[in-house]
Amino acid sequence: MLQQLYIKNYALIDVLDMEFHSGFSVITGETGAGKSIILGAIGLLLGQRADSKTVKAGADRCIIEAHFDLSHYEMEDFFRQNDIDFDPTDTIIRRELTAQGKSRAFINDTPVALTMLKELGDRLMDVHSQHQNLLLSKHDFQLSVLDIIAQSEKQLTAYQQAFATYQQTLRQLQQLREDIEQNSRNTDFLQFQYNELSDARLVDGEQEELEQRSDTMTHSEDIKAALYDAGEALQGDDRGIVSQLKKATAALQSIVNVLPGADELAQRTDSCYIELKDVAAEVGSRLENIDFDPAEMDTVNNRLDRIYSLQKKYHAESIAQLLAMQEELRQKLSAIENSDEALAELTVEVDKQKAGCQRLADDLTAIRRKAAKAIEKQMLQRLVPLGMPHVRFETQMEQAELTRSGQDRVAFLFSANTSTPLQPVAQVASGGEIARVMLALKAMISGAVKLPTIIFDEIDTGVSGKIAEQMAQIMAEMGAGGRQVISITHLPQIAALGTTHYRVYKEETPQGTTSHMVLLSPEERVTEIAQMLSGSNITDAAIANARQLLKIEN
């Protein structure tokens, strides 16, 4: 329930800080006084897109903040799932908009995305404006009304989950058919590519080894010369390093008994001698094995040419990539070979899932048909007192293809009298009749949905007198039991039945035009309703009539 609304620097409003109450409240005021401005501000709180032009001229930002009491509406799950602090008695929603067009939204001082604000707003308020009457022409709105009354959320969720799985499997089947068709056209080409790669008998790491062998043979003369020079330096005649180290070791060993530490030095030179002797032997061995073989060179280069050619052809950078392509081609060919079997299996699965969806859809249809009868009965009960003694209202249900919402196509059929055939309500009902139909629907829905606040913006369009009073009675009944119903109205019959009465007015100041909103006292209500009855020149008769409407004794 909306407890408090604070607006600052929005359109014609400097500051508005207003408390609201449960039950049935009314808001009145002359056309253009600012009632639509207040609704626009509430719309921003409910997640509507913002326009920087709505920031009051000369201000750098506007702020709209509302406090709600949610202690009777079981909304804690929303806050827990979105990691937002929850205070059931004071939930705060705030929207800020700068003159530069930047917008921020907060729930209990936690910054949130606009989508989250809208999600919460849809659960806090239902703002019914005249354009909402257009919903009566939309089949999905009529179906949603039917589901609300049927309380079919559990069955609808089960169906939608099954339908989503069915749609995903159906897409897989369609993709498989496309792949089979595409691959079938390319079977010969795919087989040729696979054979070419398979015949090459590629081995991962082979390319690097071949490239190394090619480099070695290409530079064989340089390698032999370098190895020869190294061998000579290590072990050539008596001046080689190995021979000199042997002599050094013997010299040091000869003075071990007379020079402390000579033994350690001798061991170290001996270690060097052993290591370099081994190096010299390996250099000699490699020198003997280095030889240029033209036939082997041709074999290596031919193999490399084939690898390079395949890499260029298949846009690969390594043998590993070529092998991956070969495996991919093998899988495609295998899939083509087994495509009939895979297609048959997936077709069976699709049919099975569709049958499951059909069963759930049938269950949903049965629940909806039962609810449709209840809607027809309730709508007649509500519309007859609203000046339609011969009204007929019927919920037409036709079966269609399975969709996300089921298999039912719903239309509300309406006739205001016995001589006119039933037709879709949006096509035959007048403006006043549509307003009454929507009010009856909202009243019916409010009994099935725990919605804290409902705002009606001039739902009394096209009605007057006794019918307006009956509409007010319905809104008052909706406001009973802790629910909050607010009606913006131009009709005194509706304004008089509100338990709380607010007036919106404009004021001309040196700084410009500003809009204000005040809570009226009982006597101020008499004056306001009398003015609604007689205009700016309030007569004694209008005062008396206003008191009679308010049930105030003179």
Side-chain angles (χ1 to χ4, degrees):
M1 183 186 77
L2 177 64
Q3 293 181 303
Q4 183 178 3
L5 178 65
Y6 174 80
I7 304 173
K8 181 177 181 181
N9 295 331
Y10 179 77
L12 298 180
I13 297 174
D14 283 332
V15 176
L16 184 150
D17 192 357
M18 188 61 58
E19 291 185 358
F20 290 85
H21 305 277
S22 62
F24 179 41
S25 301
V26 294
I27 300 175
T28 59
E30 296 180 357
T31 301
K35 300 185 294 295
S36 62
I37 293 174
I38 294 171
L39 278 181
I42 291 174
L44 289 181
L45 283 178
L46 301 183
Q48 293 180 6
R49 293 291 176 183
D51 185 349
S52 60
K53 294 179 182 178
T54 57
V55 178
K56 188 173 177 62
D60 61 346
R61 72 177 59 234
C62 74
I63 299 173
I64 303 148
E65 182 175 287
H67 295 246
F68 291 86
D69 181 354
L70 307 180
S71 52
H72 303 294
Y73 296 98
E74 299 176 359
M75 292 191 185
E76 187 173 359
D77 283 350
F78 172 87
F79 292 85
R80 183 175 63 253
Q81 291 168 6
N82 292 289
D83 196 23
I84 298 173
D85 291 339
F86 179 59
D87 184 347
T89 60
D90 189 20
T91 293
I92 305 171
I93 297 179
R94 186 170 78 254
R95 187 86 180 269
E96 297 180 3
L97 178 65
T98 69
Q100 292 75 35
K102 294 182 178 180
S103 173
R104 297 194 301 170
F106 302 86
I107 300 175
N108 290 339
D109 289 328
T110 299
V112 298
L114 209 56
T115 51
M116 187 181 299
L117 190 68
K118 187 177 187 310
E119 182 182 352
L120 178 60
D122 289 342
R123 299 175 64 177
L124 294 178
M125 275 190 180
D126 176 27
V127 180
H128 180 93
S129 57
Q130 291 185 44
H131 78 272
Q132 249 197 340
N133 291 338
L134 298 174
L135 291 173
L136 279 176
S137 64
K138 298 184 180 299
H139 293 286
D140 56 350
F141 169 74
Q142 297 174 44
L143 181 60
S144 68
V145 171
L146 184 59
D147 280 332
I148 289 171
I149 302 304
Q151 296 186 344
S152 57
E153 182 179 358
K154 181 179 179 181
Q155 291 83 358
L156 181 58
T157 299
Y159 167 79
Q160 288 177 337
Q161 290 173 346
F163 183 75
T165 302
Y166 161 65
Q167 287 288 291
Q168 182 180 4
T169 309
L170 183 60
R171 286 192 293 269
Q172 292 174 354
L173 177 60
Q174 292 168 342
Q175 185 63 52
L176 178 60
R177 285 172 175 161
E178 292 174 7
D179 291 345
I180 290 173
E181 183 179 355
Q182 177 69 27
N183 290 337
S184 296
R185 291 196 296 265
N186 298 330
T187 302
D188 292 342
F189 181 60
L190 294 174
Q191 188 67 58
F192 168 77
Q193 288 182 313
Y194 175 76
N195 290 342
E196 185 175 37
L197 291 172
S198 179
D199 292 345
R201 300 187 181 279
L202 299 169
V203 178
D204 195 14
E206 174 187 13
Q207 181 178 349
E208 292 77 9
E209 182 181 345
L210 290 171
E211 287 173 342
Q212 182 60 60
R213 288 170 61 190
S214 178
D215 284 345
T216 299
M217 284 188 287
T218 301
H219 299 90
S220 60
E221 292 301 323
D222 294 334
I223 294 171
K224 288 173 68 174
L227 290 174
Y228 176 80
D229 290 343
E232 285 296 309
L234 287 167
Q235 204 163 302
D237 57 45
D238 291 338
R239 302 301 298 172
I241 296 172
V242 174
S243 299
Q244 295 299 317
L245 276 173
K246 186 176 182 180
K247 292 179 180 178
T249 300
L252 289 169
Q253 288 175 340
S254 67
I255 58 172
V256 165
N257 295 328
V258 293
L259 177 63
D263 184 43
E264 181 185 353
L265 291 173
Q267 291 178 8
R268 290 169 64 187
T269 56
D270 188 47
S271 295
C272 291
Y273 165 74
I274 294 170
E275 178 65 22
L276 286 178
K277 184 179 179 182
D278 184 61
V279 171
E282 187 170 344
V283 168
S285 175
R286 292 201 175 192
L287 178 60
E288 292 178 1
N289 293 326
I290 291 295
D291 195 12
F292 178 74
D293 184 348
E296 183 183 1
M297 185 70 171
D298 288 342
T299 301
V300 169
N301 287 337
N302 288 339
R303 181 62 173 170
L304 283 173
D305 287 343
R306 187 173 186 184
I307 292 172
Y308 295 150
S309 176
L310 290 172
Q311 288 176 343
K312 182 178 180 180
K313 182 175 182 178
Y314 291 97
H315 306 289
E317 296 181 357
S318 65
I319 287 181
Q321 290 184 6
L322 288 173
L323 290 171
M325 292 178 187
Q326 180 181 330
E327 175 59 21
E328 183 179 350
L329 288 166
R330 186 195 66 76
Q331 291 178 3
K332 285 184 177 180
L333 290 168
S334 176
I336 293 172
E337 185 178 348
N338 301 313
S339 58
D340 290 343
E341 182 180 347
L343 188 62
E345 289 179 358
L346 200 54
T347 300
V348 169
E349 182 62 25
V350 166
D351 291 341
K352 178 182 176 182
Q353 291 180 5
K354 184 177 181 180
C357 286
Q358 188 63 60
R359 286 192 297 272
L360 292 171
D362 290 341
D363 293 342
L364 196 55
T365 296
I367 295 172
R368 286 170 172 170
R369 288 195 182 280
K370 185 176 179 180
K373 296 299 180 183
I375 289 175
E376 292 170 357
K377 182 178 179 180
Q378 288 191 48
M379 288 297 289
L380 291 177
Q381 291 172 347
R382 296 178 188 278
L383 289 174
V384 168
L386 292 176
M388 300 183 191
H390 304 297
V391 68
R392 287 179 293 156
F393 189 94
E394 196 173 289
T395 304
Q396 182 187 71
M397 288 181 60
E398 297 177 347
Q399 286 196 0
E401 292 293 325
L402 293 175
T403 66
R404 188 177 182 277
S405 57
Q407 63 183 345
D408 305 308
R409 184 175 177 83
V410 176
F412 291 151
L413 304 182
F414 171 86
S415 175
N417 50 68
T418 56
S419 61
T420 305
L422 286 164
Q423 295 186 54
V425 61
Q427 296 179 16
V428 297
S430 66
E433 289 168 344
I434 285 180
R436 282 174 273 176
V437 169
M438 284 301 290
L439 178 60
L441 284 173
K442 294 278 183 174
M444 184 173 57
I445 291 171
S446 69
V449 179
K450 287 188 174 182
L451 192 66
T453 300
I454 302 173
I455 299 177
F456 291 105
D457 180 20
E458 299 184 4
I459 197 170
D460 48 36
T461 300
V463 299
S464 59
K466 185 67 175 178
I467 295 174
E469 186 177 346
Q470 290 292 334
M471 293 179 73
Q473 290 285 0
I474 289 176
M475 287 186 277
E477 290 172 7
M478 291 171 65
R483 184 177 284 106
Q484 184 181 54
V485 177
I486 301 171
S487 176
I488 298 173
T489 182
H490 287 294
L491 296 181
Q493 294 88 347
I494 291 179
L497 285 182
T499 54
T500 310
H501 191 157
Y502 303 89
R503 181 168 73 92
V504 178
Y505 66 95
K506 279 196 305 189
E507 182 181 26
E508 298 294 336
T509 69
Q511 290 74 35
T513 305
T514 58
S515 287
H516 304 274
M517 183 175 179
V518 293
L519 175 65
L520 299 181
S521 67
E523 283 304 313
E524 288 171 332
R525 290 192 71 184
V526 173
T527 303
E528 175 72 6
I529 291 176
Q531 187 171 357
M532 295 172 72
L533 287 165
S534 65
S536 56
N537 295 320
I538 302 176
T539 64
D540 290 341
I543 291 288
N545 195 359
R547 288 184 175 278
Q548 184 179 6
L549 288 173
L550 289 166
K551 295 181 172 55
I552 298 176
E553 295 183 1
N554 293 321

